[in-house]
Amino acid sequence: KSLLATMETFNKGHGACDCGKCRCDGGWSGDACQYPKTCDLTKKQSNQMCKNSQDIICSNAGTCHCGRCKCDNSDGNGLVYGKFCECDDRECIDDETEEICGGHGKCYCGNCYCQAGWHGDKCEFQCDITPWESKRRCTSPDGRVCSNRGICVCGECSCHDVDPTGDWGDIHGDTCECDERDCKAVYDRYSDDFCSGHGQCNCGRCDCKVGWYGKKCEHPRSCPLSAEESIKKCQGSSALPCSGRGKCECGECTCYPPGGSRVYGKTCECDDRRCEDLDGVVCGGHGTCSCGRCVCGRGWFGKLCQHPRKCNLTEEQSRSLCESADGVLCSGKGSCHCGKCICSAEEWYISGEFCDCDDRDCDKHDGLICTGNGICSCGNCECWDGWNGNACEIWLGTEYP
């Protein structure tokens, strides 16, 4: 018989089910009548049919009988199974409790899938945050959990691509939002040929060098200006091209985000996001924004028009609201007006409800605090929409047109 004909014969039933147990036809044995008592295969043919994808006979967890694997289950618990004995549910047994997945999950082919609130190889650890909070922390800016490229474990994403060394591979980021493979013209995990050699890969997006464009920087762009002349035209009065808030090409700026209206100007010098507080309210609702600066209405003042000129509080009431926990008025770094601290203008870096924060503690990139793409909030960068990173240096938004 040919090998194919023999396999077709094996795939037919060889017994009858009687009260949950197989009664095998003559010449067949096994729990499912899967093993023939006589075999027409050579040992070589038989072993070939028993090899898994790594060419290992029965995954070293069973023996081969006439082209079929008989898994090692001497204790009769059936924890080793699969066509090639590739599944070993003994891997799911908790060493301490001796329960499958610690009693907090299901085992599928040797891997534990934990119930909400539990994690670990054996579901042995319980999360200290709610499943809702865990999902919130793992949700990427586009609304997908771990960007559909990882699993969420207690509020942290474990990305599907990690190098054998334990270092991040091609997929990384707090929510697995960065995929460096998107920067390669022809994907080769071990190649450094990012952005066709004409740009830098930034969280899966190519930032092309001057003179090149395209998703992978594959197209040359003709420009009469030299690289130095182009950058100089984009700088204007700013130290950075396009004020650090846009892309310079052939002496012209395209501001982030493309198509947006809040960042504008010849060198992207106007950033109306700076008129907003952390809740997105423009000029406290008491003024208008002009090129990133608030023009306050009558009766209001302050950087965000947050202070009323008139006050209904007594001096004593006002001062009591400005005292920090240690009893110092505005931490000694500002003045008190109507129960709110106005931090010293001379020390630009002092901020916070009680002037207790030092904005110099915020991360910098290209010499700019929060890269100019977010607000420094008491030592930490709060990034505008579309930006990420400790210093808001990573653009996650839509690509340039």
Side-chain angles (χ1 to χ4, degrees), residues 154-399:
C154 286
E156 293 185 6
C157 285
S158 177
C159 302
H160 289 325
D161 190 331
V162 179
D163 284 335
T165 59
D167 295 330
W168 288 115
D170 296 310
I171 300 172
H172 59 93
D174 289 343
T175 57
C176 307
E177 70 277 8
C178 300
D179 191 344
E180 306 297 342
R181 296 174 300 182
D182 292 340
C183 290
K184 298 185 181 183
V186 178
Y187 178 63
D188 176 2
R189 163 175 197 118
Y190 300 102
S191 167
D192 291 328
D193 183 25
F194 289 107
C195 306
S196 308
H198 305 301
Q200 183 175 356
C201 187
N202 185 1
C203 192
R205 189 197 76 248
C206 283
D207 288 334
C208 303
K209 294 177 182 176
V210 174
W212 294 88
Y213 74 101
K215 190 174 181 181
K216 308 286 175 65
C217 304
E218 67 272 33
H219 302 301
R221 188 191 300 277
S222 58
C223 179
L225 302 176
S226 68
E228 292 77 13
E229 290 171 331
S230 174
I231 290 174
K232 189 173 181 180
K233 289 192 72 173
C234 287
Q235 279 180 315
S237 58
S238 171
L240 292 174
C242 305
S243 307
R245 293 189 286 267
K247 189 174 188 178
C248 177
E249 291 200 314
C250 202
E252 294 187 0
C253 290
T254 304
C255 305
Y256 283 123
S261 60
R262 293 191 296 171
V263 182
Y264 56 95
K266 187 176 181 181
T267 59
C268 306
E269 70 275 14
C270 295
D271 188 351
D272 284 358
R273 298 172 302 184
R274 299 199 168 277
C275 292
E276 301 175 6
D277 60 20
L278 291 175
D279 295 323
V281 179
V282 176
C283 300
H286 307 298
T288 57
C289 188
S290 175
C291 195
R293 293 179 179 271
C294 284
V295 179
C296 301
R298 183 177 296 178
W300 295 87
F301 72 101
K303 187 178 179 181
L304 295 176
C305 306
Q306 71 271 45
H307 301 299
R309 293 192 181 276
K310 291 184 178 180
C311 184
N312 295 324
L313 300 177
T314 65
E315 184 66 21
E316 187 177 349
Q317 288 173 327
S318 175
R319 290 176 65 88
S320 68
L321 292 173
C322 289
E323 288 182 355
S324 54
D326 56 6
V328 178
L329 193 71
C330 298
S331 305
K333 298 175 182 177
S335 59
C336 183
H337 172 76
C338 203
K340 291 188 177 181
C341 289
I342 302 175
C343 303
S344 171
E346 294 177 3
E347 296 177 293
W348 60 268
Y349 45 85
I350 300 300
S351 65
E353 185 180 359
F354 299 105
C355 303
D356 51 339
C357 301
D358 190 332
D359 285 355
R360 292 174 299 183
D361 292 338
C362 272
D363 289 307
K364 292 183 180 180
H365 183 72
D366 282 338
L368 285 180
I369 289 176
C370 303
T371 325
N373 299 317
I375 296 177
C376 183
S377 177
C378 214
N380 292 298
C381 290
E382 297 283 348
C383 304
W384 305 122
D385 288 344
W387 293 92
N388 201 355
N390 292 335
C392 306
E393 75 278 17
I394 300 173
W395 169 246
L396 298 176
T398 55
E399 296 181 17

